[in-house]
Amino acid sequence: MKDFKDAGHLFRLAAVFAAVFLIFLLVRAALVPKGFGKYGHFRAEAIAEAMDKPLNYAGHKACEDCHSDIVEVKSKGKHKGVNCESCHGPQEKHVEDPGSVVPAKLETTSLCPRCHTANAAKPKNFPQVIPEDHSGGVPCDTCHKPHTPVIEAEAAEVKK
Amino acid sequence: MSMTRRHFLLLTAVAAAAWDSIIAGTPEAASTYNMTDHWYGMLMNIEKCIGCGSCVRACQLENKVPDGYFRTWVERYHIEDWTVENPTVDSPDGGKNGFVELKETGGKNFFVPKLCNHCADSPCTQVCPVGATFHTPDGVVLVDGKYCLGCRYCIQACPYGCRFLNPATNTAEKCSLCYHRITKGLTTACCENCPTGARQLVDFKNPNDPIHEFLKTHSVQVLKPYMATKAKVYYYGLDGSVR
């Protein structure tokens, strides 16, 4: 014990360091959020929170489960690549409760021109019209069926 | 019933085991989704984009993006024959309601849809002072809204102008690649609603993804490759004038 005879002041200093280090650990534990650093320099829980956001668009597979008749019709037409909600809007609520949430009927006079209004910047092979000249305000679905938009008589004429 | 020392010790062991699972909480990604099995990006086909704005509207509805701010938007380029270096670009309201007709004035006209490039070497995540924006293991750059200070550093750092400060929350916001959708096996709201298939979500770690065949047979570009951000939104048919 002779070696530690005059070392009292060192022990006191060590105790102060230990106390400061302990306080640092406590403060750090209190401030660093849970999961921080698990995958990197961020809160791991933020990933789960991003996953948990609610859906608005159900996705076309959800529609196709019930409306197989429309899928059948649409698969033969030019709109086969257009997903349901692209025109009908977000329908997650309808999928959750098909009985009480019924999608609104669409107004083709304003809906179809969203894509088919002529514009020089559109690809040249994309069917485009100037709506006023083309129909003069008559709703598009008077002649075109939205799910199979090519007019049959016209298509038959082209085939001849 | 009186408790013997043996019963007490047994109960303690059981309680300790239960307590472990209680404090662990529900693990993240409790579903079958495994983050390390995916590596997401997007493919844009400029030749298919009709500038209808369906993607912009879908994004705003899906992610509750405030009016006048955009997580994705569509630009229209007009290039005279002699001004390749100086294109005229417009994007009225992000292209949300389509574009007013451009009379055929010669030159070249096309649409360019844009969104966060989910760069593998993103400048925005590097500058965040608190770790509120980060890369997920599946290659998506996300913002932790609860942890963001709203210092705007990342907004300045993004070379593509993809970030904004949400005026309601005063936190940085950007495209999340619809992380809540893609982790459930759905595609993003913009890709779901693109009527021409001009934009497609791709998973580079999925060997059956058509992107692999597409990349082998087509020339693609990323925006601002000289920034070396390793952007993961690939453009097919991109004009050299696009910035």
Side-chain angles (χ1 to χ4, degrees), chain B residues 63-75:
Chain B
N63 298 302
K64 298 175 186 71
V65 182
D67 269 341
Y69 296 87
F70 305 96
R71 288 183 176 202
T72 182
W73 67 99
V74 183
E75 293 173 358

Side-chain angles (χ1 to χ4, degrees), chain A residues 82-129:
Chain A
V82 183
N83 288 332
C84 315
E85 289 166 310
S86 190
C87 296
H88 292 280
Q91 298 298 348
E92 172 63 19
K93 291 203 173 69
H94 171 63
V95 171
E96 280 169 7
D97 189 2
S100 53
V101 184
V102 180
K105 276 259 177 268
L106 296 176
E107 182 50 68
T108 54
T109 322
S110 57
L111 178 77
C112 303
R114 281 204 317 218
C115 291
H116 291 289
T117 303
N119 195 313
K122 287 186 183 179
K124 296 289 168 284
N125 57 1
F126 184 78
Q128 324 169 28
V129 295

